[in-house]
Amino acid sequence: MQQRSDGRAPDQIRAINFELNIAPHATGSVLVSMGNTRVICGVTVEESVPRWMKESGSGRMTGGWLTSEYSMLPYSTTSRKPRDISKGRLDGRSSEIQRLIGRSLRAVVDLEKLGPRTMWIDCDVLQADGGTRTAAITGASLAVALACRKLANDKKVEAPPVKKLVAAVSAGVLDGRAIVDLNYEEDKAVTVDFNLVATEDGEFVEVQGSGEESTFAQDELEQMITLARKGIADLISAQRAVLARIMVSPAES
Ligand code: UDP
């Protein structure tokens, strides 16, 4: 069986690291690293909701809103990636990714308890080496947890309006074998591209899988789900370890 390019086992995620509070003006922020992929996740809470929510009269008048933006910094890729603004429009990929991040975090934030506020989740890729969307979700989950704690500490809400942790990971099929948490080299080589978003209690938020100029079998799908679920459990353990550490060391939070 062929080795993975970086020597990992098929079910092994890349080294994960969370650096907290890297953007002091944000309500919560995290620089997440998964191997060589690094994403800055900043959460800002604004004391207002979008106009459409105020006008909709949808019965959610007391609740808040959560939205996300994603971009790759120009120097995050091996050749410079121009900013979207220089083209005058958001590219389709960024738009797809930011909607995924928004859906993933809306699944775990209690918008009623957030109150009439907007939670902005800004994810900016500092270094891209595959799996930027999944790293963004995993980092944003922690940044949201920090922001929610701050809202509670500042007595803006009674309890942190976050229901559970969420994380995401990619998987794929390479030479007929499932692997988890693909780097860029692997991402280019796989015949199936798969992303899973799930919560700490093992519930799915989103399952995305597509054949890249090829098809895949149910057995391969099941293998990818198994590896991705294990990867997510590992990521959630890492998130929990970070949260436990700041609980005993409030100065760091
Ligand atoms: N990539 C890049 N430039 C781009 C888009 C992607 O260099 O404009 C690279 C980057 O390393 C990224 C990888 O291709 O992580 C895979 O991209 P994909 O669209 O599958 O998203 P991701 O895996 O980052 O969520």
Side-chain angles (χ1 to χ4, degrees), residues 1-245:
M1 204 180 281
Q2 210 193 319
Q3 276 274 327
R4 294 180 72 172
S5 61
D6 53 11
R8 280 183 290 150
D11 66 347
Q12 192 180 353
I13 59 171
R14 292 175 286 182
I16 172 104
N17 187 57
F18 300 106
E19 205 178 313
L20 308 186
N21 302 322
I22 50 133
H25 294 307
T27 319
S29 62
V30 170
L31 169 60
V32 57
S33 311
M34 292 209 58
N36 291 328
T37 286
R38 298 199 293 155
V39 184
I40 302 164
C41 306
V43 174
T44 313
V45 178
E46 277 183 353
E47 293 292 321
S48 62
V49 290
R51 184 192 286 260
W52 63 262
M53 266 191 89
K54 285 188 222 158
E55 289 171 352
S56 71
S58 61
R60 297 195 26 210
M61 303 284 282
T62 55
W65 186 237
L66 183 158
T67 191
S68 174
E69 293 193 359
Y70 164 98
S71 81
M72 295 178 94
L73 289 164
Y75 43 81
S76 65
T77 49
T78 45
S79 55
R80 185 177 186 275
K81 188 176 166 69
R83 292 181 196 270
D84 283 340
I85 190 73
S86 64
K87 291 177 281 174
R89 62 178 172 81
L90 186 65
D91 83 50
R93 175 177 172 276
S94 303
S95 151
E96 177 191 321
I97 293 177
Q98 64 190 34
R99 293 184 66 197
L100 170 68
I101 300 169
R103 288 194 298 275
S104 301
L105 275 300
R106 273 196 294 278
V108 295
V109 170
D110 188 327
L111 295 176
E112 275 303 312
K113 289 195 180 139
L114 178 63
R117 301 184 172 87
T118 299
M119 185 173 273
W120 287 91
I121 301 179
D122 289 292
C123 297
D124 289 280
V125 178
L126 188 58
Q127 190 176 351
D129 184 29
T132 61
R133 76 193 67 198
T134 50
I137 292 166
T138 304
S141 172
L142 212 46
V144 164
L146 295 179
C148 288
R149 250 167 54 115
K150 179 157 174 32
L151 287 178
N153 287 344
D154 292 350
K155 308 258 182 292
K156 291 190 172 161
V157 292
E158 276 179 29
V162 62
K163 296 185 273 194
K164 41 194 167 181
L165 292 167
V166 64
V169 78
S170 69
V173 175
L174 190 62
D175 302 329
R177 182 185 62 163
I179 52 174
V180 74
D181 191 23
L182 282 47
N183 61 29
Y184 179 54
E185 202 181 326
E186 291 173 327
D187 186 88
K188 276 188 305 182
V190 287
T191 50
V192 186
D193 208 347
F194 181 85
N195 290 296
L196 185 70
V197 186
T199 57
E200 60 185 314
D201 50 6
E203 295 265 301
F204 297 131
V205 180
E206 187 133 346
V207 184
Q208 298 183 334
S210 35
E212 297 274 347
E213 298 167 27
S214 106
T215 57
F216 55 105
Q218 177 154 345
D219 168 52
E220 290 174 322
L221 175 62
E222 285 164 6
Q223 283 180 45
M224 288 187 291
I225 292 177
T226 303
L227 292 194
R229 284 181 74 93
K230 177 182 175 288
I232 286 176
D234 293 343
L235 292 169
I236 288 185
S237 300
Q239 290 172 333
R240 283 204 182 117
V242 167
L243 288 175
R245 185 162 54 84

